[in-house]
Amino acid sequence: MVEKEEVGGISEEEAAQYDRQIRLWGLEAQKRLRASRVLLVGMKGLGAEVAKNLILAGVKGLTMLDHQQVTPEDTGAQFLIPTGSSGRNRAEASLERAQNLNPMVDVKVDTDLLENKPETFFTQFDAVCLTCCSRDVLIKIDQICHKNSIKFFAGDVFGYHGYMFANLGEHEFVEEKTKVTKAGQGVEDGPDTKKAKMDSTETTMVKRKVVFCPLKEALEVDWSSDKAKSLLKRTTSDYFLLQVLLKFRTDKGRDPQSDTSGEDSELLLQIRNDLLESLGVSPDVLPDDFPSCCLSEMAPVCAVVGGVLGQEVVKALSQRDPPHTNFFFFDGIRGSGIVECLGPK
C-alpha cells in the first residue's frame, strides 16, 4: 500500500497536512522528503529545534540519538523535554513531544554511544546530522557518509554564536528561475533593441549540480599561501572561533559553561593563541573578550541556527533549491548570519 502511494502520489491526509509545503516547493519534492530517513545526534537545544523542523516538514523517519542524561542546563533551550525529567536520557525524554508534532513521521530513539556504531548503522539513513560531537567524531562520521553517499550535516550553538556545515557530496537539485524573453524589433525601446527582459509571469525549472568537500578539508585550510591570505581578509572570524571551541571540547570533554567561566575563559584564550599561531593566523582575529560570548546554549540562537540547519536538510533531501556551500555562521550579538565556502576549490 505504501509503495503504491509513493508511485501514484500521497494520501489525502498527507496532502492536507503538507498543503502549504506542496504549494511552496511542489509535490515531487514533498514525495522525496517523505521517503527519507534522518539520523539526528545530540538532543540539546539545537537538536530539539532541528527535530521539530524535520518532523513538521514530513520526513519518513527521524532517529534521535543521545546517550547523555538531562541536566538542569537543558531546560533553558530544550523545549521537547518536560519539566521534572532530570536524570532521564535526553532522547527518551524528548520522544513524546516530538512524536506529537506529527504522527505521520516515524520518530525513534537510540541511547547508544555514537562512537560505538558500526559503519553499516549509518547506511540506513539518507541524511545524518550531528550536534554536540567532538572534532574527531565529526570528521569520522563525515567520511563514512561521504563514502556511502549519505548527506552529512553538523551544527552547534555556543552562547551567542552558532554554525552549521554541510557535505552533500555531488548534489543535484532543481531551481525555479524566471524565464528570460527577448524584445523584438519595433518595441518601445527602439527598432534596434534586443535586450533580454525578465518575464515575471513565467518560470522554468533548471537542473544544477554542486560538489562539496569533506569537513576535514574545510577545517584544514592552508592559510600560508597568497591566495589564502587574500581570502583571510574576507573570512568571518566565527570560522576560527569554531576551531577554538572544537579544540576546547576535545581537551575538556565538554563545552564552556557559565559556572566555570573564569577557568574556561583562560583556557579558551590559551587555545586561541596556540591554535591560531599554528594556523599562521593572528590571534587578534578573536578579541580578548570573546570567551564571555560563548557560554552555554541560548534559546534564540538555537532557534535561528536550527531553522537554517533544518531548512538545509529539507532542501538536500527534496533536491529543491540551491544549498548553502558549505558553512553558515550566526552571530547573535550582531544578529547576522553569513554563508562561507571554505576548503579546496
Side-chain angles (χ1 to χ4, degrees):
M1 185 63 180
V2 174
E3 291 180 356
K4 274 189 175 181
E5 286 183 353
E6 289 180 354
V7 173
I10 63 174
S11 67
E12 291 184 7
E13 184 181 8
E14 288 174 311
Q17 175 79 10
Y18 306 127
D19 176 70
R20 178 179 176 275
Q21 295 166 196
I22 292 171
R23 293 172 184 270
L24 181 63
W25 56 57
L27 179 59
E28 290 304 312
Q30 187 66 42
K31 286 166 66 177
R32 292 190 195 98
L33 194 60
R34 70 185 282 274
S36 301
R37 293 190 178 276
V38 181
L39 172 66
L40 173 61
V41 177
M43 289 307 297
K44 293 182 69 176
L46 178 60
E49 289 286 351
V50 176
K52 175 200 69 177
N53 293 328
L54 295 180
I55 292 169
L56 292 177
V59 295
K60 182 179 183 65
L62 177 70
T63 297
M64 304 183 299
L65 187 151
D66 196 321
H67 71 282
Q68 298 279 10
Q69 294 181 332
V70 177
T71 66
E73 182 186 355
D74 293 327
T75 59
Q78 222 288 22
F79 55 85
L80 292 177
I81 296 177
T83 56
S85 297
S86 184
R88 292 182 63 193
N89 175 272
R90 273 200 298 240
E92 290 181 336
S94 305
L95 179 59
E96 183 177 359
R97 288 184 175 178
Q99 184 64 82
N100 288 340
L101 290 170
N102 188 350
M104 285 184 283
V105 175
D106 180 20
V107 184
K108 295 180 179 178
V109 163
D110 193 321
T111 61
D112 290 345
L113 190 66
L114 178 66
E115 289 89 324
N116 293 339
K117 295 294 189 182
E119 181 173 330
T120 53
F121 169 76
F122 301 95
T123 60
Q124 64 184 297
F125 301 102
D126 301 284
V128 170
C129 180
L130 304 189
T131 70
C132 309
C133 292
S134 69
R135 186 181 189 274
D136 289 344
V137 170
L138 291 170
I139 290 174
K140 175 186 174 182
I141 305 304
D142 174 53
Q143 290 172 339
I144 291 174
C145 291
H146 192 79
K147 173 184 174 183
N148 292 281
S149 300
I150 302 166
K151 309 298 185 186
F152 175 84
F153 298 87
D156 274 304
V157 167
F158 305 93
Y160 285 95
H161 298 272
Y163 90 99
M164 66 142 285
F165 169 84
N167 175 12
L168 310 183
E170 289 191 7
H171 178 64
E172 295 183 348
F173 63 94
V174 295
E175 183 179 12
E176 188 173 10
K177 289 286 191 179
T178 303
K179 279 190 175 180
V180 177
T181 59
K182 288 194 174 182
Q185 294 285 345
V187 296
E188 59 183 18
D189 291 337
D192 299 323
T193 301
K194 288 188 177 180
K195 294 180 179 179
K197 293 186 177 292
M198 304 297 288
D199 184 353
S200 60
T201 62
E202 290 190 58
T203 60
T204 184
M205 304 305 293
V206 180
K207 290 184 177 181
R208 300 196 183 281
K209 183 173 80 170
V210 63
V211 179
F212 287 73
C213 76
L215 177 62
K216 188 174 190 294
E217 296 180 9
L219 291 176
E220 296 181 355
V221 175
D222 180 7
W223 296 101
S224 62
S225 67
D226 292 337
K227 182 179 179 181
K229 288 178 181 177
S230 175
L231 177 65
L232 178 61
K233 299 175 183 178
R234 306 190 301 272
T235 300
T236 176
S237 61
D238 276 13
Y239 170 76
F240 301 101
L241 175 63
L242 172 62
Q243 302 266 25
V244 171
L245 290 166
L246 288 178
K247 182 66 168 64
F248 181 99
R249 182 180 283 174
T250 298
D251 292 349
K252 300 290 288 186
R254 60 172 177 83
D255 293 336
Q257 299 173 352
S258 55
D259 55 357
T260 54
S261 59
E263 170 193 338
D264 291 354
S265 295
E266 289 184 14
L267 181 55
L268 283 167
L269 287 170
Q270 186 61 52
I271 291 174
R272 177 200 65 173
N273 296 338
D274 296 343
L275 181 63
L276 296 188
E277 183 180 352
S278 70
L279 294 174
V281 177
S282 170
D284 294 339
V285 168
L286 298 175
D288 289 344
D289 63 351
F290 85 89
S292 63
C293 303
C294 304
L295 305 175
S296 304
E297 281 189 320
M298 299 186 66
V301 181
C302 288
V304 173
V305 179
V308 173
L309 182 47
Q311 178 189 50
E312 289 305 300
V313 176
V314 168
K315 283 160 60 176
L317 294 174
S318 65
Q319 296 179 268
R320 178 67 192 267
D321 295 333
H324 289 338
T325 51
N326 47 359
F327 282 100
F328 168 78
F329 295 100
F330 179 70
D331 184 337
I333 298 175
R334 294 185 175 89
S336 62
I338 184 171
V339 176
E340 291 272 16
C341 184
L342 294 163
K345 302 294 190 292

